[in-house]
Amino acid sequence: MKKVKVLELQKSFGKYEIITNEISRYKGVCGVWVMYDNHNHLLEVAQTTDVFKELAYDLSWLLKKCSHDGDLQKRYTARRLFEFNQKFDVLSCDKNRTTAKYRTIAENAEEILVYLIVENRAMSRDKTVREKIELEIAIDNKALYWNAFGIQRKLAKDYYKNKYELK
């Protein structure tokens, strides 16, 4: 997998410092990106029609702190698609499941590295091609916080079943 680093965050005194931020170079660029922690665990994989827009949004949630004067009450535990997915709670202070995921990642990772896959297929304008690459990378590398949506859920389950359960 050919990739280029687009974002690096390191914790210092409990707060992330941005070491590398190259996401603005990818405004309007389709792609598949991967996120790792300081232990080289694959945290997340995603495909997008605009790498900059998506990673800027995700970065804003990685840097945000849940307010202690806000409500930290658990609303629900996010469902897992596969046994390798990490459980995490969605709190009252979280906007949605996605923001809860990034809050959890930020609480647990000392370093975050995000890479853009720079292969023609991964940068295809065809969403189905990017989604296939996304789910294969996520499943083959046991991405801890990855989850499929819509039709991709069935495709992911079929891929997993064919690759890992039918042996």
Side-chain angles (χ1 to χ4, degrees), residues 38-134:
N38 46 298
H39 300 291
N40 205 33
H41 296 126
L42 182 59
L43 301 172
E44 175 68 304
V45 182
Q47 68 78 29
T48 181
T49 56
D50 189 328
V51 172
F52 167 74
K53 188 175 177 182
E54 180 161 319
L55 287 176
Y57 175 81
D58 296 345
L59 177 61
S60 73
W61 288 104
L62 286 166
L63 298 176
K64 186 176 176 77
K65 288 280 188 199
C66 230
S67 173
H68 288 293
D69 46 319
D71 193 355
L72 299 178
Q73 183 177 348
K74 176 180 161 179
R75 290 184 356 206
Y76 63 92
T77 299
R79 289 185 313 174
R80 300 183 315 163
L81 186 58
F82 298 106
E83 75 281 349
F84 57 79
N85 294 136
Q86 290 292 309
K87 287 183 181 179
F88 62 93
D89 293 331
V90 178
L91 307 179
S92 294
C93 65
D94 296 317
K95 181 178 175 184
N96 54 37
R97 184 187 192 285
T98 300
T99 61
K101 171 177 58 180
Y102 287 117
R103 178 187 46 74
T104 304
I105 288 171
E107 288 171 355
N108 295 307
E110 292 299 313
E111 182 178 24
I112 293 176
L113 297 149
V114 179
Y115 298 91
L116 179 64
I117 309 301
V118 287
E119 297 173 0
N120 287 338
R121 283 183 50 232
M123 299 179 90
S124 170
R125 292 197 107 12
D126 185 340
K127 181 179 179 180
T128 57
V129 170
R130 294 190 316 270
E131 282 184 338
K132 185 176 188 309
I133 293 165
E134 173 192 352

